Amino acid sequence: GAVVSQHPSRVICKSGTSVKIECRSLDFQATTMFWYRQFPKQSLMLMATSNEGSKATYEQGVEKDKFLINHASLTLSTLTVTSAHPEDSSFYICSARPHRGPYNEQFFGPGTRLTVL
Amino acid sequence: AQKVTQAQTEISVVEKEDVTLDCVYETRDTTYYLFWYKQPPSGELVFLIRRNSFDEQNEISGRYSWNFQKSTSSFNFTITASQVVDSAVYFCARGNEKLTFGTGTRLTIIP
């Protein structure tokens, strides 16, 4: 149980286009989902916390207009990278916290590798 | 910011050797949780352990063991009799709702 999926797993796009990444909790409801970014050979950095039905909370230094997050249901959160540029190329990982369960429990998705040409 | 420090960026050991990965954290919280994750080349994070700050008992799970020393703010991870499949990047993390990750240690097990 407790499976989180991400789609797509890999995406290559041209500079200036927008890319949407989906994060789904497959067998549980997730009140809260988190979005992380990981540059090559670096750590995971929390970008934002997404709560179902409300606006996402962004970490300091993360542009909310650049990284649009929508958490429309208890099983789906989306991250849209708007007008992507090469510096946005990164590995994006989501995690989901079950609606029922320890408040610090998170299940991670497999990640989405974004390459902007 | 409350940091998590993994001073060892890369470690290489020969198969069957034991290896310890260090983790030191900062926190102002009275209650917090500590985690270890494994990230193989595929990129997917694999959960290894979660430890409550009130529980200072060491834990062993097969070839894995963890040593939590609250007095030194350390949560070290030991792999006994290492195997090639243990090669990965290992992350230590601290937090309650939000997690702060360390910079990771790249472990290479040489056959």
Side-chain angles (χ1 to χ4, degrees), chain A:
Chain A
V3 178
V4 176
S5 70
Q6 282 185 241
H7 178 79
S9 58
R10 189 180 293 266
V11 57
I12 300 173
C13 69
K14 291 182 179 179
S15 188
T17 59
S18 293
V19 176
K20 180 185 283 189
I21 302 170
E22 293 185 348
C23 176
R24 292 182 186 272
S25 55
L26 298 185
D27 48 3
F28 65 97
Q29 293 184 326
T31 314
T32 303
M33 289 185 173
F34 302 90
W35 286 96
Y36 296 85
R37 182 175 184 176
Q38 185 180 30
F39 289 108
K41 297 192 177 183
Q42 293 190 28
S43 186
L44 282 77
M45 300 299 294
L46 179 64
M47 297 175 66
T49 302
S50 152
N51 291 299
E52 187 266 337
S54 63
K55 289 184 178 180
T57 303
Y58 291 81
E59 296 299 303
Q60 191 172 12
V62 178
E63 299 176 61
K64 61 180 180 181
D65 295 330
K66 174 74 170 177
F67 300 100
L68 300 179
I69 292 172
N70 183 279
H71 193 158
S73 77
L74 284 172
T75 59
L76 173 65
S77 176
T78 60
L79 167 68
T80 300
V81 183
T82 61
S83 187
H85 288 94
E87 58 266 31
D88 299 322
S89 298
S90 190
F91 192 54
Y92 293 88
I93 305 174
C94 74
S95 70
R97 188 175 76 197
H99 180 58
R100 296 172 185 267
Y103 72 102
N104 55 26
E105 187 169 46
Q106 297 182 28
F107 297 96
F108 286 84
T112 296
R113 194 165 301 281
L114 170 63
T115 302
V116 185
L117 302 176

Side-chain angles (χ1 to χ4, degrees), chain B residues 37-56:
Chain B
Y37 290 90
K38 174 182 179 179
Q39 188 177 41
S42 64
E44 184 163 2
L45 282 177
V46 177
F47 168 80
L48 297 177
I49 190 172
R50 176 179 64 208
R51 173 52 52 89
N52 183 311
S53 58
F54 285 111
D55 182 3
E56 291 195 66

Side-chain angles (χ1 to χ4, degrees), chain B residues 85-104:
Chain B
V85 293
D86 295 328
S87 296
V89 180
Y90 290 85
F91 289 98
C92 177
R94 180 207 61 78
N96 287 304
E97 183 185 37
K98 297 181 182 180
L99 296 184
T100 299
F101 284 82
T103 48

Side-chain angles (χ1 to χ4, degrees), chain B residues 19-46:
Chain B
V19 58
T20 295
L21 309 182
D22 298 332
C23 174
V24 176
Y25 61 91
E26 299 174 0
T27 186
R28 293 185 292 271
D29 298 324
T30 305
T31 304
Y32 51 91
Y33 287 80
L34 299 167
F35 303 79
W36 274 96
Y37 290 90
K38 174 182 179 179
Q39 188 177 41
S42 64
E44 184 163 2
L45 282 177
V46 177

Side-chain angles (χ1 to χ4, degrees), chain B residues 68-82:
Chain B
F68 178 26
Q69 297 282 341
K70 201 169 180 179
S71 59
T72 56
S73 297
S74 66
F75 187 43
N76 297 336
F77 172 36
T78 297
I79 301 175
T80 303
S82 60

